[in-house]
């Protein structure tokens, strides 16, 4: 903070006599200003009284002449590392002011702050700061310092360094997401290649088996990124020469990240577009590095998320908010001697809104790759128009002023949820996939699975089984878990847009085959799992290797099967299922909200957002009576009205939901009935089918139809 800042010089008599150590004389650390006196002093230009009076504005109850502004010091949290200092001083970081009709000397049984809160009196909070090196800071009475407005300054780097120091003592922030492996981010295996920080310059480096620390960058790919990416044509030069000699101009965001590393004393930076060969080797280097990227992020000392990165301003956007208004107070030491000044400024009560708009809802967060980078990074920092935000796996986000974003405004930290999830018998994974599937990928045909592979690996690791061993719990097949595969197959596209084509290279039975959001009906998850109607017999890989399910139930040696067959980025070609297959009739789409409401109620399906894309299903026995609904994955030919002829389609019975209410309306003499979860499939040849949709069937006739059907083997591709 600079004392050359233009602030009001006039100080009223009350403020001139302010003694921060006088608070210790009150058992609750309270002192006070008479509201009428503070209001008069504010009108004359007293900077601190103006802050106090203006902070209440029209929010407070209409104050009376005898009301007081009660002041209470806020001690700095003990985790700041000074609790064991020889001279801890007052260790004050803030001040709380409450406008109420009680003065600080009134006898009280309960802490008066709690009493005021209960009575609904308005309170305001202020930061207390002082210039570095001044007596208030040296004596550790005031521990807050104002970093100024230049985010590129060493003052901001010092704040990050302190954040890192504190975070390195958090157990959850020094291990992998699964909790199975410890991480020393100061001495960890470096990525295959890093950008080495060399004074004011940098160059690319092959790290070999070197240990150290590094900063990772999460950023959005742009056409400019492609132009400056590393290829087989330029990698030799980049390994030999510093960045100022590269023909390509490295972006301002990349250079700013290198500058930040230099300020923090970190010698390496990992940036995917520079550290992975992007062109010229048929994708070989990318294939090897892509499945390591998640590991790179969670082992980084710090991940910089360029939520506001731009070509013009780089990593640091211009500030959108004005500098805080300061109020000056005299500093007196414990002996009452006046030694300079300290300052107060208002707490930003809208910090959660600023975080939401500039970080949580930023364009960067809409990108598919960023999800696992965000979740897996143990510590991250964002530079926004509203300041700098830092967060870790343990604490909620906070800005450079120490203002904390409430946990309801952020999905982090996720570790508690993650390690308590028992894959795949919980809905944790499906929640992750639902969110991930709504995000954008520049190359979904290449990245749809691998951009989520790091989280999948950690979820499998959380079960404590090494990758060299597998059972049906741990086999991960095209974005789903084999043990829970019958339920996993029941995903549904969740978009109002018409999907006209699948992604190439992905099996139709996997959600990865559709470039759109997907959803599961988690409300009925447990009941559907309890009553399976089909049986998984085995899986076949894209290389033609078949693995029967009985072998997967046993511990097997993956190395003998071909290392990587069950790795998280592996695609599977065919799923072998035994179940009952029958035909139903497809009619026109549901046309009204009322029809959709009845269909969801009768089948107890609560997850669907776009019910009007559902199609009516009828049985052969009653071709004009609805017995279910179908949701097609891609645009399918179907009747447009009741006058059009119905189309016949195959439905594979996957599982049954029992105890669904509404049976009386269907003609049952009981209060509940059963609903069938089915996959709609289309024959390719022989036993080979492809999935075309999902749905639910109900009614006496449809159950009779399936009871009469014989189970058969279906090869779903």
């Amino acid at each position: 903070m600079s004392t050359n800042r233009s602030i009001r010089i006039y100080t009223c008599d009350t403020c001139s006599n302010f003694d921060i150590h006088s608070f210790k004389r009150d058992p609750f650390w309270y002192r006070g200003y008479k509201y009428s006196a503070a209001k008069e002093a504010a009108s004359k230009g007293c900077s601190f009284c103006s802050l106090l009076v203006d902070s209440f504005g029209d929010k407070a109850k209409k104050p009376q002449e005898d009301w007081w502004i009660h002041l209470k010091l806020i001690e700095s949290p003990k985790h700041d590392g000074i609790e064991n200092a020889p001279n801890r001083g007052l260790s004050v970081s803030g001040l709380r002011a409450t406008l109420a009709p009680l003065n600080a000397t009134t006898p009280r049984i309960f802490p008066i702050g709690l009493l005021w809160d209960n009575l609904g009196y308005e309170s305001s909070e202020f930061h207390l700061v002082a210039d570095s090196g001044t007596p208030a800071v040296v004596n550790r009475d005031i521990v807050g310092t104002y970093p100024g407005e230049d985010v590129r300054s060493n003052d901001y780097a010092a704040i990050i360094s302190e954040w890192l120091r504190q975070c390195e003592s958090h157990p959850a922030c020094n291990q992998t997401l699964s909790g199975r492996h410890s991480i020393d981010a100061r001495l960890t295996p470096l990525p295959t290649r890093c950008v080495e920080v060399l004074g004011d310059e940098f160059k690319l480096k092959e790290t070999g088996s070197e240990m150290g620390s590094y900063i990772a960058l999460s950023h959005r790919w742009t056409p400019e990124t492609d132009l400056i990416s590393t290829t087989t044509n330029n990698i030799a030069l980049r390994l030999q020469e510093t960045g100022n000699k590269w023909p390509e101009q490295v972006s301002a965001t990349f250079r700013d990240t290198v500058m930040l590393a230099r300020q923090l004393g970190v010698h390496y930076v990992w940036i995917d577009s520079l550290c992975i060969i992007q062109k010229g080797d048929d994708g070989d280097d990318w294939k090897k590095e892509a499945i390591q990227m998640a590991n790179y992020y969670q082992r980084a000392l710090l991940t910089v998320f360029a939520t506001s990165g731009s070509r013009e301003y780089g990593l640091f956007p211009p500030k959108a908010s004005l500098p805080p208004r300061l109020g000056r107070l005299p500093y007196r030491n414990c002996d009452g001697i006046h030694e300079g000044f300290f300052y107060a400024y208002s707490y930003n009560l809208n910090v959660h809104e600023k975080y939401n708009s500039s970080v949580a809802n930023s364009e960067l967060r809409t990108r598919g790759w960023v999800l696992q980078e965000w979740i897996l990074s143990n510590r991250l920092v964002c530079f926004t128009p509203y300041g700098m935000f830092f967060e870790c796996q343990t604490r909620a986000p906070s800005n450079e002023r120490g203002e904390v974003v409430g946990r309801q405004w952020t999905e982090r930290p996720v570790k508690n949820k993650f390690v308590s999830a028992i894959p795949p018998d919980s809905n944790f994974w499906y929640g992750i996939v639902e969110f991930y599937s709504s995000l954008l990928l520049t190359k979904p045909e290449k990245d749809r699975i691998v951009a989520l592979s790091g989280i999948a690996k950690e979820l499998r690791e959380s079960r404590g089984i090494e990758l060299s061993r597998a059972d049906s719990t741990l086999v991960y097949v095209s974005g789903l878990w084999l043990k829970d595969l019958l339920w996993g197959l029941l995903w549904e596209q969740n978009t109002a847009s018409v999907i006209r084509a699948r992604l190439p290279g992905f099996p139709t039975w996997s959600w990865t085959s559709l470039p759109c959001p997907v959803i599961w009906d988690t409300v009925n998850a447990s009941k559907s799992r309890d009553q399976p109607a089909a049986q998984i017999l085995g899986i076949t890989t894209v290389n033609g290797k078949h693995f029967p399910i009985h072998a997967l139930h046993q511990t097997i040696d993956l190395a003998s099967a071909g290392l990587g067959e069950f790795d998280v980025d592996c695609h599977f070609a065919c799923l072998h299922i035994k179940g009952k297959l029958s035909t139903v009739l497809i009619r026109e789409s549901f046309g009204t909200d009322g029809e959709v409401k009845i269909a969801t109620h009768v089948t107890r399906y609560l997850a669907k957002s776009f019910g009007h894309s559902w199609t009516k299903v009828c049985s052969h026995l009653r071709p004009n009576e609805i017995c279910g609904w179908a949701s097609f994955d891609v645009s399918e030919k179907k009747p447009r009205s009741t006058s059009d002829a119905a189309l016949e389609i195959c439905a594979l019975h996957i599982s049954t939901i029992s105890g669904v209410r509404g049976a009386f309306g269907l003609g049952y003499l009981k209060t509940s009935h059963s609903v069938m979860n089915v996959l709609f499939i289309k024959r390719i040849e022989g036993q080979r089918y492809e999935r075309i949709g999902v749905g639910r069937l109900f009614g006496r006739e449809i159950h009779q139809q399936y009871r009469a059907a014989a189970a058969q083997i279906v090869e779903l591709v």
Side-chain angles (χ1 to χ4, degrees):
M1 178 184 69
S2 173
T3 54
N4 294 323
R5 178 181 303 282
S6 177
I7 62 174
R8 295 187 177 102
I9 301 300
Y10 171 72
T11 304
C12 69
D13 290 342
T14 304
C15 289
S16 296
N17 293 316
F18 192 98
D19 181 0
I20 196 169
H21 284 275
S22 68
F23 285 78
K24 294 189 298 183
R25 302 179 195 127
D26 184 89
F28 297 102
W29 280 40
Y30 278 99
R31 279 291 179 261
Y33 279 41
K34 194 168 184 178
Y35 178 73
S36 58
K39 190 174 181 181
E40 181 180 356
S43 68
K44 295 179 180 179
C46 178
S47 60
F48 182 65
C49 287
S50 296
L51 274 182
L52 287 177
V53 173
D54 292 348
S55 69
F56 296 110
D58 298 328
K59 297 181 296 181
K61 295 179 179 180
K62 186 177 180 180
Q64 305 298 317
E65 288 298 314
D66 60 345
W67 280 27
W68 284 68
I69 300 174
H70 303 270
L71 305 178
K72 180 176 176 61
L73 297 179
I74 300 174
E75 288 187 274
S76 178
K78 292 184 178 181
H79 57 65
D80 64 1
I82 66 172
E83 64 273 16
N84 296 320
N87 176 23
R88 190 170 189 264
L90 295 177
S91 301
V92 170
S93 62
L95 184 74
R96 190 170 190 262
T98 302
L99 184 59
L102 298 171
N103 64 43
T105 61
T106 301
R108 48 197 178 268
I109 299 175
F110 302 103
I112 196 165
L114 178 61
L115 178 60
W116 288 332
D117 289 341
N118 289 339
L119 294 178
Y121 293 109
E122 194 69 32
S123 292
S124 298
E125 289 191 9
F126 302 89
H127 297 281
L128 296 185
V129 297
D131 287 316
S132 298
T134 59
V137 173
V138 172
N139 295 335
R140 303 205 66 87
D141 288 328
I142 302 294
V143 298
T145 57
Y146 179 65
E149 298 300 303
D150 184 7
V151 185
R152 297 172 180 267
S153 70
N154 289 329
D155 289 336
Y156 275 77
I159 293 174
I160 298 175
S161 294
E162 176 60 19
W163 274 336
L164 291 174
R165 186 191 66 77
Q166 294 176 19
C167 182
E168 287 176 275
S169 66
H170 302 158
C173 299
N174 293 283
Q175 60 185 13
T176 58
L177 189 62
S178 65
R180 299 294 300 173
H181 304 285
S182 298
I183 295 175
D184 180 358
R186 295 287 183 181
L187 191 64
T188 191
L190 296 176
T192 303
R193 299 180 197 89
C194 283
V195 174
E196 185 178 15
V197 181
L198 301 169
D200 293 333
E201 272 301 331
F202 58 88
K203 72 174 183 179
L204 196 61
K205 179 179 179 178
E206 300 271 4
T207 62
S209 57
E210 190 173 340
M211 305 283 285
S213 63
Y214 61 93
I215 290 175
L217 175 66
S218 177
H219 65 101
R220 184 185 175 188
W221 276 62
T222 65
E224 182 186 14
T225 310
D226 281 328
L227 294 176
I228 63 174
S229 61
T230 296
T231 68
T232 53
N233 292 330
N234 61 27
I235 187 171
L237 174 67
R238 293 186 171 190
L239 289 170
Q240 296 174 2
E241 302 290 349
T242 55
N244 62 327
K245 297 181 180 179
W246 295 3
E248 307 86 3
Q249 181 65 39
V250 175
S251 71
T253 298
F254 291 2
R255 285 189 173 273
D256 285 345
T257 305
V258 172
M259 181 195 75
L260 178 63
R262 185 183 308 117
Q263 289 176 309
L264 296 175
V266 179
H267 299 298
Y268 296 101
V269 174
W270 189 84
I271 303 173
D272 53 1
S273 56
L274 299 184
C275 299
I276 299 175
I277 298 173
Q278 303 293 332
K279 297 177 183 176
D281 64 344
D282 294 325
D284 289 344
D285 192 59
W286 184 89
K287 291 174 184 175
K288 289 187 295 184
E289 292 293 292
I291 58 176
Q292 295 297 326
M293 286 172 64
N295 194 43
Y296 292 163
Y297 280 100
Q298 69 177 342
R299 289 187 174 274
L301 177 66
L302 177 69
T303 300
V304 177
F305 279 83
T307 51
S308 302
S310 67
R311 182 176 183 177
E312 182 178 3
Y313 297 109
L315 191 62
F316 309 108
K319 286 287 188 74
S321 54
L322 296 174
R325 177 176 150 206
L326 302 178
R328 191 178 71 173
L329 287 168
Y331 168 71
R332 288 179 170 81
N333 63 23
C334 59
D335 296 322
I337 300 174
H338 181 200
E339 293 185 313
F341 299 90
F342 65 98
Y343 303 84
Y345 64 93
S346 296
Y347 197 97
N348 180 13
L349 298 178
N350 297 321
V351 62
H352 56 276
E353 296 177 4
K354 305 301 184 185
Y355 175 87
N356 249 14
S357 63
S358 61
V359 178
N361 295 326
S362 64
E363 187 178 9
L364 181 67
R365 295 290 305 277
T366 67
R367 311 305 300 179
W369 274 102
V370 173
L371 175 64
Q372 70 172 8
E373 296 165 8
W374 191 273
I375 289 179
L376 292 173
S377 294
N378 280 318
R379 290 164 289 272
L380 59 92
V381 66
C382 306
F383 298 93
T384 80
Y386 305 104
M388 176 175 67
F389 289 94
F390 179 91
E391 56 185 291
C392 65
Q393 295 285 8
T394 301
R395 291 186 192 154
S398 61
N399 62 14
E400 71 275 10
R401 301 178 186 179
E403 296 160 344
V404 179
V405 180
R407 292 190 183 276
Q408 68 270 28
W409 296 98
T410 173
E411 72 276 14
R412 290 170 56 90
V414 300
K415 274 192 173 175
N416 288 341
K417 293 182 180 179
F418 191 92
V419 299
S420 63
I422 307 176
D425 298 329
S426 74
N427 293 320
F428 178 84
W429 174 253
Y430 300 105
I432 289 287
V433 172
E434 287 178 2
F435 183 75
Y436 168 76
S437 66
S438 68
L439 302 177
L440 304 175
L441 291 166
T442 303
K443 300 177 181 178
E445 69 283 353
K446 183 175 75 169
D447 299 341
R448 187 69 164 165
I449 285 183
V450 72
L452 197 61
S453 64
I455 296 177
K457 279 184 176 179
E458 289 301 311
L459 192 56
R460 181 166 60 183
E461 282 275 316
S462 70
R463 304 308 303 140
I465 308 295
E466 298 299 328
L467 296 182
S468 61
R469 303 174 61 198
D471 61 21
S472 60
T473 301
L474 300 174
V475 176
Y476 179 74
V477 288
S478 294
L480 298 169
W481 298 94
L482 186 61
K483 181 179 180 180
D484 202 40
L485 192 53
L486 287 179
W487 174 249
L489 292 173
L490 298 176
W491 56 268
E492 180 188 2
Q493 56 88 2
N494 190 33
T495 177
S497 303
V498 176
I499 308 300
R500 302 192 181 278
R502 294 183 185 274
L503 294 174
F506 297 95
T508 62
W509 46 265
S510 170
W511 60 268
T512 59
S513 66
L514 287 192
C516 71
V518 298
I519 196 169
W520 282 264
D521 177 27
T522 54
V523 173
N524 294 294
S526 60
K527 288 186 176 294
S528 295
R529 289 181 174 119
D530 289 344
Q531 300 185 57
Q535 179 184 1
I536 304 295
L537 299 180
I539 54 177
T540 301
T541 70
V542 290
N543 298 325
K545 294 181 180 179
H546 177 69
F547 295 90
I549 194 68
H550 65 80
L552 296 173
H553 277 303
Q554 304 169 3
T555 301
I556 62 174
D557 183 1
L558 290 182
S560 64
L563 186 62
E565 293 289 1
F566 297 109
D567 208 352
V568 288
D569 62 332
C570 187
H571 301 197
F572 287 80
C574 183
L575 191 63
H576 302 263
I577 305 177
K578 183 178 181 180
K580 290 190 175 184
L581 187 65
S582 189
T583 58
V584 293
L585 300 177
I586 298 299
R587 304 204 66 90
E588 73 278 6
S589 298
F590 288 92
T592 67
D593 289 335
E595 289 181 334
V596 173
K597 186 175 181 179
I598 292 173
T600 56
H601 174 71
V602 172
T603 60
R604 201 169 66 183
Y605 192 85
L606 305 178
K608 185 61 177 174
S609 301
F610 302 97
H612 283 204
S613 63
W614 285 354
T615 300
K616 299 175 183 177
V617 180
C618 302
S619 68
H620 286 283
L621 294 176
R622 297 196 177 186
N624 296 315
E625 186 176 299
I626 297 174
C627 70
W629 54 263
S631 176
F632 291 112
D633 301 338
V634 297
S635 180
E636 289 284 334
K637 181 181 178 181
K638 57 187 176 183
R640 295 187 176 182
S641 67
T642 55
S643 60
D644 293 341
L647 299 179
E648 191 174 78
I649 195 171
C650 293
L652 177 63
H653 187 192
I654 298 297
S655 61
T656 300
I657 308 171
S658 60
V660 179
R661 294 184 178 181
F664 284 134
L666 300 176
Y668 291 99
L669 296 178
K670 53 184 179 180
T671 59
S672 63
H673 67 113
S674 297
V675 175
M676 300 167 58
N677 285 308
V678 298
L679 292 183
F680 295 106
I681 58 179
K682 181 188 293 185
R683 188 192 301 271
I684 299 175
E685 61 177 359
Q687 295 180 327
R688 292 199 157 227
Y689 291 79
E690 64 176 358
R691 169 186 156 137
I692 59 174
V694 67
R696 287 189 176 167
L697 305 177
F698 59 87
R700 185 180 291 107
E701 291 78 14
I702 204 71
H703 283 285
Q704 290 175 352
Q705 183 175 323
Y706 273 85
R707 278 196 294 269
Q712 55 185 290
I713 296 175
V714 171
E715 297 177 3
L716 205 55
V717 297

